[in-house]
Amino acid sequence: MSPRAEEIVGVPVSYFIGKTRLEVAGEIVMNDKWQAHFKDLEAHRSFRDFRFVRKGHDGRLHYVSTSGIPLFDDAGTFKGYAGASTNLTDRIEAEELAGLAREQLANAVNGLSELFVLWDSQDRLVVCNDQFRKLNQDVIETTKSGTLFEDHIRAVLDKDLFLLTDMDKNKWFEQRLENHRNPGQPFEIVRQDRRWLMAKEQKL
């Protein structure tokens, strides 16, 4: 076992020497995931990206991914496994923090009484609040994360949810895109149900 094992799993290499996989598992092994893993080992099958959590001697939880291949001699006798492990801890903790931040952002925007929607640099929807979704209930599929701004506006137009008076749909569409891409002063939008909205856009 390489010296980097301690860095990866937070446990000295000497702890592992002479122990079986079961003895060094580091977490409860009665679940289906571990039982399937032990069956692979008993059958001398390769395994890839088996993920588990163990507590290091520093008390920190380490998230580990490990892969292994069985080794056989020329006579076909099983000799053991050769494997490699990767420490996923920093990545997983970063993902958890990002998820918490997204949840906090969603809670914050849902607390607003005004409509709120955020588009990314590729003009894809990142987050919107319940007020925005309620207004666009007829095109609710375009209020999901990842929706292009153009697709959302086109869907609203196709459903005739805007009151355009005498303006051509294509002209209105191009004007709306221009207001979105080059935001300036607030502008008014009239819905088909006669609700007037004051829209304000800005680039971050």
Side-chain angles (χ1 to χ4, degrees), residues 167-202:
M167 186 178 292
D168 176 75
K169 275 190 176 183
N170 289 330
K171 183 177 180 181
W172 190 97
F173 179 72
E174 293 301 326
Q175 181 176 309
R176 182 67 186 90
L177 290 185
E178 176 63 22
N179 287 340
H180 175 72
R181 291 168 178 165
N182 299 287
Q185 296 298 316
F187 55 94
E188 295 176 344
I189 297 176
V190 187
R191 303 283 291 197
Q192 191 62 258
D193 58 7
R194 301 291 177 175
R195 277 187 288 180
W196 288 71
L197 305 177
M198 180 66 74
K200 181 180 181 181
E201 298 196 49
Q202 64 183 52

Side-chain angles (χ1 to χ4, degrees), residues 114-177:
E114 299 86 0
L115 280 70
F116 179 90
V117 58
L118 177 66
W119 311 86
D120 66 14
S121 59
Q122 302 300 314
D123 246 357
R124 295 187 180 278
L125 195 151
V126 177
V127 64
C128 64
N129 64 1
D130 289 340
Q131 297 290 346
F132 183 82
R133 281 187 283 269
K134 288 177 183 177
L135 182 71
N136 293 286
Q137 190 64 40
D138 291 333
V139 290
I140 193 66
E141 69 279 0
T142 71
T143 66
K144 296 178 180 178
S145 177
T147 301
L148 284 170
F149 177 80
E150 289 190 27
D151 292 341
H152 169 71
I153 295 299
R154 181 64 71 185
V156 175
L157 271 177
D158 290 343
K159 287 284 188 177
D160 293 322
L161 300 181
F162 291 132
L163 185 62
L164 308 184
T165 60
D166 296 329
M167 186 178 292
D168 176 75
K169 275 190 176 183
N170 289 330
K171 183 177 180 181
W172 190 97
F173 179 72
E174 293 301 326
Q175 181 176 309
R176 182 67 186 90
L177 290 185

Side-chain angles (χ1 to χ4, degrees), residues 54-124:
R54 68 171 305 118
K55 182 178 289 187
H57 285 187
D58 58 0
R60 184 187 185 195
L61 290 179
H62 292 257
Y63 298 84
V64 181
S65 169
T66 186
S67 301
I69 56 173
L71 302 177
F72 302 89
D73 63 17
D74 293 340
T77 302
F78 175 68
K79 305 297 290 183
Y81 273 92
S85 298
T86 303
N87 191 340
L88 306 176
T89 306
D90 290 342
R91 190 181 83 187
I92 289 176
E93 288 180 348
E95 290 173 352
E96 289 177 347
L97 286 174
L100 178 60
R102 285 193 296 269
E103 182 179 349
Q104 291 174 331
L105 175 60
N107 290 337
V109 299
N110 272 331
L112 299 173
S113 58
E114 299 86 0
L115 280 70
F116 179 90
V117 58
L118 177 66
W119 311 86
D120 66 14
S121 59
Q122 302 300 314
D123 246 357
R124 295 187 180 278

